[in-house]
C-alpha cells in the first residue's frame, strides 16, 4: 500500500498535539496517569483523549502506561496496608477540613 503524503514546502502546517521537532510526548503519559488515578477506565481515558486531542489512543497502550505504575502502587500498599481503611473510617472527622 502506498501512502501519498503531501509536502508542506512553505511550512504552513502547525501540528497541535506533537509540536514540530518534538520527540517526547510524555505529557500524554502524565495525563493518562492522572485520569487513571482519578478512577477513569481505559475506555473512558481513550474516549477523552480522542475528544480533546483528536487522535485515538488504543486501550492497550493506556494499559501499558498504567501498568508501569503497578510496582509503585503495590509497594505503597505493602508499606501502608491500612491507609485506605483508615481514611474511609475517619472520613467524617476529616471531611470538614475540605
Amino acid at each position: 500500500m502506498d501512502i501519498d503524503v503531501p509536502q508542506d514546502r512553505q511550512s504552513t502546517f502547525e501540528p497541535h498535539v506533537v509540536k514540530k521537532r518534538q520527540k517526547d510526548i510524555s505529557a500524554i503519559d502524565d495525563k493518562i496517569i492522572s485520569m487513571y488515578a482519578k478512577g477513569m477506565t481505559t475506555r473512558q481515558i481513550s474516549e477523552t483523549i480522542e475528544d480533546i486531542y483528536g487522535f485515538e489512543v488504543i486501550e492497550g497502550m493506556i494499559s501499558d502506561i498504567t501498568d508501569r505504575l503497578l510496582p509503585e502502587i503495590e509497594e505503597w500498599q505493602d508499606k501502608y496496608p491500612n491507609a485506605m481503611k483508615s481514611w474511609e473510617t475517619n472520613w467524617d472527622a476529616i471531611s470538614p477540613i475540605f
Side-chain angles (χ1 to χ4, degrees):
M1 173 169 60
D2 291 329
I3 299 176
D4 187 25
V5 179
Q7 292 185 358
D8 184 21
R9 293 185 181 166
Q10 296 182 9
S11 194
T12 57
F13 177 74
E14 188 62 42
H16 295 281
V17 178
V18 179
K19 303 293 183 201
K20 290 181 181 180
R21 293 175 277 295
Q22 178 182 357
K23 295 179 181 166
D24 181 15
I25 59 168
S26 60
I28 297 295
D29 289 5
D30 293 342
K31 287 174 178 45
I32 289 171
I33 290 168
S34 176
M35 288 185 268
Y36 181 75
K38 292 176 182 169
M40 293 177 74
T41 66
T42 55
R43 178 172 295 183
Q44 291 169 328
I45 293 170
S46 177
E47 291 169 354
T48 301
I49 289 178
E50 187 166 4
D51 287 345
I52 294 171
Y53 297 105
F55 67 89
E56 181 181 7
V57 177
I58 60 172
E59 293 174 36
M61 179 182 168
I62 295 169
S63 293
D64 290 344
I65 291 168
T66 57
D67 284 351
R68 286 186 270 172
L69 293 178
L70 290 179
E72 293 176 44
I73 292 169
E74 290 169 353
E75 180 183 331
W76 188 87
Q77 288 173 334
D78 289 343
K79 192 173 181 180
Y80 306 104
N82 297 319
M84 287 307 294
K85 186 69 175 166
S86 176
W87 181 267
E88 292 167 0
T89 304
N90 297 308
W91 179 250
D92 290 334
I94 297 170
S95 61
I97 298 171
F98 301 104

